[in-house]
Amino acid sequence: MKRTILLIEDNEQNRYLTTFLLENRGYEVVSAEDGPQGLEIAAKRKFDLILLDIQLPLMDGYQVARALRGRAETGAVPIVAITSYAMAGDREKALAAGCDGYIEKPINPETFVSEVERFLG
Amino acid sequence: MACSGSWADLKNTIFDGAVPLRRHCFLTMNPGRMETQMTDTSYAGGGLSRCKTVVAMILTAVVYFAASKLSLLLAVGATNVTSVWPPSGIALAVILFRGYRMGPAVFIGAFFANVLALKGAGLAPAYYLSASITTAIGNMLEGLAGAYLIRRLTADHEPFDAVKNLFVFIVFGGLASTMISATLGVASYCSVTGEWPLFVRLWVTWWLGDASGILIVSPLIIMLKRKPPRPETGASWAEAVGVFVFLAASSMAIFWKNYRLEYVIIPPLLWIALRFGRLYSALAVFLVSGIAVICTVSGAGPLAEPASRNSLMYLQTFIGVISIITLCLSVLTHERSEADKARRASQKQLYFIVEFLPDATFAIDKDGKVIAWNRAMEELSGVLKKDMLGKADYGYAAPSFGDRQPILVDLVMKSSDPARCEAYDYIEKRGNTLFAEWYNPKINRYLSGAASALVDSKGNVYGAIESIRDITDRKVAERDLQHYKEHLEEIVRERSEELVRANEQLVRRIEDQDRVEMALAESEKKYRDLVESANSVIMRWKPDGTVTFFNAYAQKFFGFTEAEIIGSNVVGTIVPAVESSGRDLAALMKDIERRPDLFAFNENENVRKNGEKVWIAWTNKPVYNQSGDMVEILSVGNDITPRKTMEESLKKTLKELAEAKERAEAADRIKSAFLATMSHELRTPLNSIIGFTGILLQNLAGPLNDEQKKQMGMVRGSAQHLLSLINDVLDISKIEAGQFEVHAEPFDLRGVIEKAAAVMKPAAEKKGVALTVAVGPGVGSIIGDRRRVEQVLLNLLSNAVKFTERGSVALSAAVVPEYRPPGADPASKPVPAVRCTVADTGIGIRPEDLKGLFQPFRQIDTGLARKNEGTGLGLAICRRLADLMGGEIIAESAPGQGSTFAFTLPSGGA
């Protein structure tokens, strides 16, 4: 059975890039363009992992992560933050919001999938 | 004595499992305890014990019977009177060990032995049976009485442990109780044979025979019960065998060959008693007696007189004497050695107790020899225990007084008058203990000591103990206190004198007062002149504001004539109603008029007649009349207009500066935020560029031809360069914005160095530059930010490779044991650090460029800029990172010869 990943990312090119890399390695990827849309999708079906951009319109990634963690159906799904924020304390903020891991942008296309797979268990 | 071998067997059979005498005594004295012990064992065990008793009784009867049969061989003539009667000794020993229950066994054994002996003499059964019963009762009673008396009088001690108990054994067990047997035995014999005239002589023989039997046999049996049967004094077997052979040989020579050398056997007996202990003494007595008896009974030897009765007496006396002497001596020796052992044990115990004591302590025995000398004593005296133990002749006094003399500990022993000992500052006897205090010049300490005699349980003094404490601190404190007390009195005396002096001065001053008042009138005139001509505004005005006095300087300064100003109000003339700053001066004047003392020093704006504003610093003072009412205010003013003007302009400048600073800081914050946002915004498209380039180059989107691959590689190179520019800009902006954090965690520096070298290796190899790594010993785990250290090393290495065309790049690391970071307090303690050095053989740096090397955006323009792409931020970031981690980076270089960058980092973190 294909493993399913939810990708919440507002930039179209980056969404396509991430989807391409994951699908290329056999994952099913469902994408959302912003936080509310992501939360809505996540409520409907079960995912093995959620990739979450931090800089998002409407709701920022930290808020989305807290919302996901607060719900029964997504409370236990691993969340990996992907962000170009690299200021002091960003990592701690992401982990405090409920993320399990943190991948910095720009991603390395050669190692990205294996980094993600670390959190898939 | 052919039976001695089987005696040993008998002894085993009779005494195996027997309760030892002392234990027996314990049980009889504590019946309750005995029951407890009995319940400890099973009922089967109880039955077994009873069974054993019965077996022991039967065996005792049998042994007694057999011994009697053998002994009757030694009988004199046709009588049953024998020279020595060993069964008596067996009976006494068995009853002593197994208790009075063995009495009947003795009776049975004795009865049958007598029946058998008398039956053969051809007597009627009624006679020999009654005689046998009487004799057997005598034998039994003898044993019971002997055992009872010995137990009673030795308080249940073993009879051979002390000379005192041995005498009990000899007198009551050997001589007294045997009289019973002798009386009953001889009486029954005489009644049967009718030989009453022989009664006394037979009685003595019988008595002495039983007594000898007890003296010879009982000690041997009792001693044999002891383990182990070896020379107690540790003398050799060879010696024992030699002495015994000599003893046997000399006995044979005397009693068989009839050499009249009876006393030759005394020395070997004494020897055995002194050297081999009690068992061997008993054995020796047994041996000599046996030889003497057998030989004499056989009619050989010096004691075998023709008249057999006399020979019997001689023999018995001889045996009695040698056994008593030998036993006495051996028991005495034993007692001495036990007492010695006990004394040594108590001395040993004392030694350990003294060792344990915290105060300096030593002990001596009654000969004055040191037997304990503890560690504190070693420290106090400076003399080691090993040099002091066993020393006598007052040697222990030498460390204290430098010569041998009786000290405290000896005074206790000698019970001499303590007051006579002048070496002590203080000495007192309380109870049995002597207390003293003295000064020891050798070690310059005040000491306090206590000494007491050591007394054993019998009240004998066997030594003395002395304990010493250093009381120098207390003494010094006492002395200081004394000194202070004396000094205090001195201070009080001085103060009192000062008071007296002060009082005198006061009196003199009052006298002077009158003279002063006379001078005052004259002085007032001078004062008036002074006020008139002073270079300050001096004025007086009434509480309603009316000016009453205005000095010449004031008239000139303000431009008012005396006529114009006197009588006018200050407000409206020299004081404007409102100050330029907006302050209500009319109200202020009212306040001053009310309470001039609150405005003793006041600055306010004033105005000249021509309208010009001036600033005056005023001193205001109320003037009172005789009845204490305030009538006027005296004000003295100085022109402070120039100072005030300067202050104003300075304030203005400072305000402008603060505003400028604020603006600059705001701009800086905006710049940092802008840079951070820009860096982030730039990364988002870069993520796509680098990501898709990677996908294409990995052929994930289909194959590329060589040209496409080359061009895509260029795109990726440019994108990555752009990324490094952005990263550097982000780093520097974070640092400048104060948002940069360095972690402090332990990490393996050696690993980081090796990893950095491994990352740069391909680039160096591509250029044909050798990259060497040398990590010194001791470079291992340090505390710092692993990622940032790696970043600095990679930056320095990549610079070195970048600017080196041929030759080598050497990365080395070494421990700096004492490092003081730049800017640290020169008095602060240096810390351990590690110095990583990157040395290259590249183009080098001009001295004038070295200065700005670590400034941001200061890449040295050498025309190589094109060739060596870079942000110009790398070294600036490195230096800032090094600062943040509490270290530094130093560059040294010579153009054309290469550069060396040294990165020093405290091992324990910033």
Side-chain angles (χ1 to χ4, degrees), chain A residues 9 11 13-14 16-18 20-21 24 55 83-89 91-92 104-107 109-110, chain B residues 676 680-681 683-688 690-692 694-695 698 700-701 716 723 730 734 739-741 743 787:
Chain A
E9 161 74 77
N11 181 288
Q13 284 81 28
N14 285 334
Y16 181 79
L17 168 68
T18 312
F20 183 93
L21 284 169
N24 189 54
Q55 216 207 13
T83 180
S84 50
Y85 273 102
M87 297 304 271
R91 176 182 294 266
E92 287 72 17
E104 221 174 275
K105 266 186 198 172
I107 59 166
E110 279 152 41
Chain B
H680 164 256
E681 290 299 334
R683 274 165 190 249
T684 306
L686 257 182
N687 190 45
S688 293
I690 292 172
F692 286 118
I695 287 171
Q698 284 177 80
L700 294 179
R716 184 166 67 177
L723 176 63
L730 189 61
K734 276 195 280 188
Q739 285 195 348
F740 200 92
E741 285 176 6
H743 297 273
R787 263 182 75 186

Side-chain angles (χ1 to χ4, degrees), chain B residues 310-343:
Chain B
N310 285 342
S311 74
L312 207 56
M313 292 281 281
Y314 289 145
L315 184 58
Q316 287 166 331
T317 315
F318 177 79
I319 287 168
V321 167
I322 63 161
S323 66
I324 287 171
I325 290 173
T326 313
L327 282 176
C328 277
L329 200 60
S330 71
V331 170
L332 197 65
T333 310
H334 170 77
E335 205 176 18
R336 280 271 164 81
S337 91
E338 286 300 307
D340 232 39
K341 258 188 243 167
R343 204 185 66 237

Side-chain angles (χ1 to χ4, degrees), chain B residues 175-458:
Chain B
L175 300 178
S177 65
T178 44
M179 290 181 184
I180 301 168
S181 169
T183 309
L184 288 174
V186 175
S188 74
Y189 175 80
C190 290
S191 65
V192 171
T193 57
E195 289 176 350
W196 286 105
L198 289 174
F199 181 87
V200 172
R201 186 169 290 165
L202 281 175
W203 186 90
V204 170
T205 312
W206 189 300
W207 175 55
L208 289 178
D210 277 16
S212 327
I214 284 172
L215 289 180
I216 294 163
V217 177
S218 294
L220 186 63
I221 293 174
I222 290 170
M223 284 303 123
L224 272 172
K225 246 199 68 64
R226 292 178 173 281
K227 287 178 194 174
R230 58 181 168 78
E232 285 177 17
T233 52
S236 71
W237 283 103
E239 185 184 340
V241 171
V243 180
F244 270 91
V245 167
F246 176 73
L247 188 64
S250 51
S251 299
M252 290 298 284
I254 295 159
F255 298 111
W256 188 254
K257 290 293 177 187
N258 202 9
Y259 290 104
R260 305 207 47 107
L261 295 166
E262 291 90 331
Y263 299 102
V264 168
I265 60 166
I266 301 293
L269 282 175
L270 297 187
W271 187 335
I272 287 164
L274 287 171
R275 291 279 289 161
F276 303 113
R278 295 167 297 166
L279 169 63
Y280 286 81
S281 303
L283 207 59
V285 168
F286 187 84
L287 179 69
V288 173
S289 307
I291 291 170
V293 169
I294 290 170
C295 294
T296 309
V297 167
S298 311
L303 303 177
E305 291 281 312
S308 64
R309 286 192 300 268
N310 285 342
S311 74
L312 207 56
M313 292 281 281
Y314 289 145
L315 184 58
Q316 287 166 331
T317 315
F318 177 79
I319 287 168
V321 167
I322 63 161
S323 66
I324 287 171
I325 290 173
T326 313
L327 282 176
C328 277
L329 200 60
S330 71
V331 170
L332 197 65
T333 310
H334 170 77
E335 205 176 18
R336 280 271 164 81
S337 91
E338 286 300 307
D340 232 39
K341 258 188 243 167
R343 204 185 66 237
R344 272 199 299 274
S346 74
Q347 276 188 4
K348 186 100 184 160
Q349 202 173 16
L350 182 73
Y351 171 86
F352 284 123
I353 291 170
V354 168
E355 276 295 294
F356 165 79
L357 291 176
D359 283 336
T361 307
F362 70 98
I364 56 173
D365 65 11
K366 68 174 188 300
D367 302 324
K369 278 186 189 157
V370 176
I371 54 177
W373 187 269
N374 70 1
R375 186 178 295 277
M377 195 64 211
E378 283 182 337
E379 278 166 19
L380 183 76
S381 66
V383 180
L384 291 177
K385 176 167 66 188
K386 66 177 168 60
D387 300 330
M388 193 49 84
L389 283 185
K391 291 280 163 59
D393 194 20
Y394 307 123
Y396 42 83
S400 297
F401 295 102
D403 57 355
R404 295 163 185 276
Q405 65 176 73
I407 61 172
L408 202 58
V409 77
D410 301 293
L411 297 176
V412 174
M413 295 258 279
K414 305 283 154 56
S415 70
S416 54
D417 179 13
R420 286 220 306 257
C421 193
E422 289 170 0
Y424 298 101
D425 303 340
Y426 153 86
I427 190 159
E428 190 191 348
K429 187 163 185 145
R430 292 204 292 269
N432 292 321
T433 308
L434 264 184
F435 294 89
E437 284 180 13
W438 68 97
Y439 172 71
N440 182 338
K442 270 192 90 178
I443 54 173
N444 188 27
R445 309 298 290 175
Y446 287 95
L447 303 173
S448 156
S452 185
L454 295 166
V455 182
D456 66 15
S457 55
K458 288 170 191 146

Side-chain angles (χ1 to χ4, degrees), chain A residues 67-95:
Chain A
L68 285 168
R69 279 281 170 260
R71 293 181 181 181
E73 58 270 34
T74 53
V77 181
I79 304 171
V80 178
I82 304 180
T83 180
S84 50
Y85 273 102
M87 297 304 271
D90 283 355
R91 176 182 294 266
E92 287 72 17
K93 258 158 82 183
L95 295 179

Side-chain angles (χ1 to χ4, degrees), chain B residues 817-888:
Chain B
E818 294 197 345
Y819 172 66
R820 203 176 271 124
D825 182 359
S828 68
K829 217 177 142 222
V831 294
V834 181
R835 181 164 294 146
C836 300
T837 311
V838 177
D840 64 52
T841 57
I843 55 170
I845 304 159
R846 289 195 305 259
E848 60 267 35
D849 291 328
L850 264 176
K851 240 190 289 172
L853 194 61
F854 293 102
Q855 301 291 326
F857 303 110
R858 284 282 182 91
Q859 196 185 30
I860 301 151
D861 184 15
T862 56
L864 288 162
R866 268 221 169 109
K867 193 174 161 195
N868 301 297
E869 292 168 330
T871 59
L873 287 170
L875 283 176
I877 292 169
C878 287
R879 167 159 280 187
R880 278 163 175 75
L881 286 176
D883 287 348
L884 283 169
M885 290 188 278
E888 64 183 318

Side-chain angles (χ1 to χ4, degrees), chain B residues 498-516:
Chain B
E498 273 172 22
L499 268 176
V500 169
R501 274 200 299 276
N503 201 25
E504 285 167 359
Q505 276 173 3
L506 201 61
V507 170
R508 267 203 300 279
R509 257 185 224 160
I510 292 167
E511 288 168 1
D512 289 347
Q513 196 78 38
D514 300 338
R515 283 196 292 276
V516 169

